[in-house]
Amino acid sequence: MPKWTTDDVPDLAGKRAIVTGANSGIGLRTALELARHGATVVLACRSAERGEEALATIRAAVPGGDVVVGSLDLADLASVRAFAEANASPLDLLINNAGVMALPHRTTADGFELQFGTNHLGHFALTGLLLPALLERPGARVVTVTSVFHRMGRIDFGDLDAERGYHKWPAYCQAKLANLVFAKELDRRAPFVSVASHPGYAVTNLQKAGPRMEGSRARELLFGGLNTLMGQSDAAGAWPSLYAATAEVEGGQCYGPRGPGQSRGAPTRVRTLRRAADPELGRRLWEVSEERTGVSYDGLTAATPE
């Protein structure tokens, strides 16, 4: 198979895309390439200031690009609802990219453990609220970004908010597994394509956020060293998301780097944890997510488990 690059992204003129967490890193690089290839792009960002900085970066690279900033805090369901209401126009691509990683214990505005609440529940609610916009576009597609760390994840339905004890890395792995399970279950239920992607080991601000919140300069330096030795650029980390969004893909699958350990390299379909495809796990997560967010996917029915 020939090596895929961003030159292979097709003409996206007339397509409308939303990218969450588009203010930096993989989200910014994803949004930039979508705009470069003609799409109208909404940068869904928590920080208005950083969103405007990202907008300036894209406009400098793509003069005349059709790009706007939207205010979205995935850790606040009221913000998610407001963003969806303001962006109800027909939608071709939704890239559920934003996320937090291995942070000290925090909760969302609605009382959920921050990593599960932001990475999964926020995107679950956003996708459901944007469902009418997606259904208006033939060929619409949803890409949800997971991580290779999903392989170490376990969804603890008895303690989703880690009230019995919080450990940041298991909480992250749980959230990333939930992203993958959601992508697969959405594909079983929706009349459009839902896929997952993961960036491998990409150098972004994500790795340093936790140590900074903890005030651990040593851990911040450690991640900086690992980034230098092992990481690929954020631009390369965006390739799987762009491939999943624009190439010919199979619904319900995951796309990531083809290199050793899925850590770096050109994008391809990758293997994921077998239980992530369990329809019963998908159904249970879906029902819990609807209950917690208050968002139901009206018009979609549950798939019959195989």
Side-chain angles (χ1 to χ4, degrees), residues 130-263:
L130 291 175
L131 184 62
L134 290 161
L135 292 174
E136 287 191 48
R137 288 292 207 194
R141 189 176 298 188
V142 175
V143 179
T144 301
V145 179
T146 182
S147 164
V148 289
F149 281 97
H150 84 273
R151 292 181 174 275
M152 292 177 278
R154 173 180 172 269
I155 301 177
D156 185 355
F157 289 102
D159 192 26
L160 287 172
D161 294 316
E163 294 175 340
R164 295 198 297 264
Y166 177 76
H167 302 282
K168 60 188 178 182
W169 281 108
Y172 177 70
C173 296
Q174 172 179 254
K176 291 286 102 180
L177 176 57
N179 285 146
L180 179 60
V181 172
F182 165 64
K184 290 179 176 292
E185 182 65 11
L186 179 61
D187 191 71
R188 283 190 282 266
R189 297 178 183 235
F192 49 77
V193 169
S194 168
V195 293
S197 68
H198 80 73
Y201 194 137
V203 178
T204 70
N205 292 327
L206 197 65
Q207 293 96 344
K208 295 183 179 181
R212 284 174 182 167
M213 290 177 68
E214 295 171 334
S216 175
R217 179 63 176 162
R219 288 177 60 82
E220 186 177 344
L221 290 172
L222 173 62
F223 273 112
L226 289 173
N227 287 350
T228 301
L229 290 172
M230 301 174 58
Q232 61 179 353
S233 68
D234 54 3
W239 285 12
S241 292
L242 290 162
Y243 184 91
T246 65
E248 185 175 340
V249 296
E250 182 180 348
Q253 299 303 317
C254 184
Y255 296 85
R258 65 176 59 190
Q262 301 180 18
S263 63

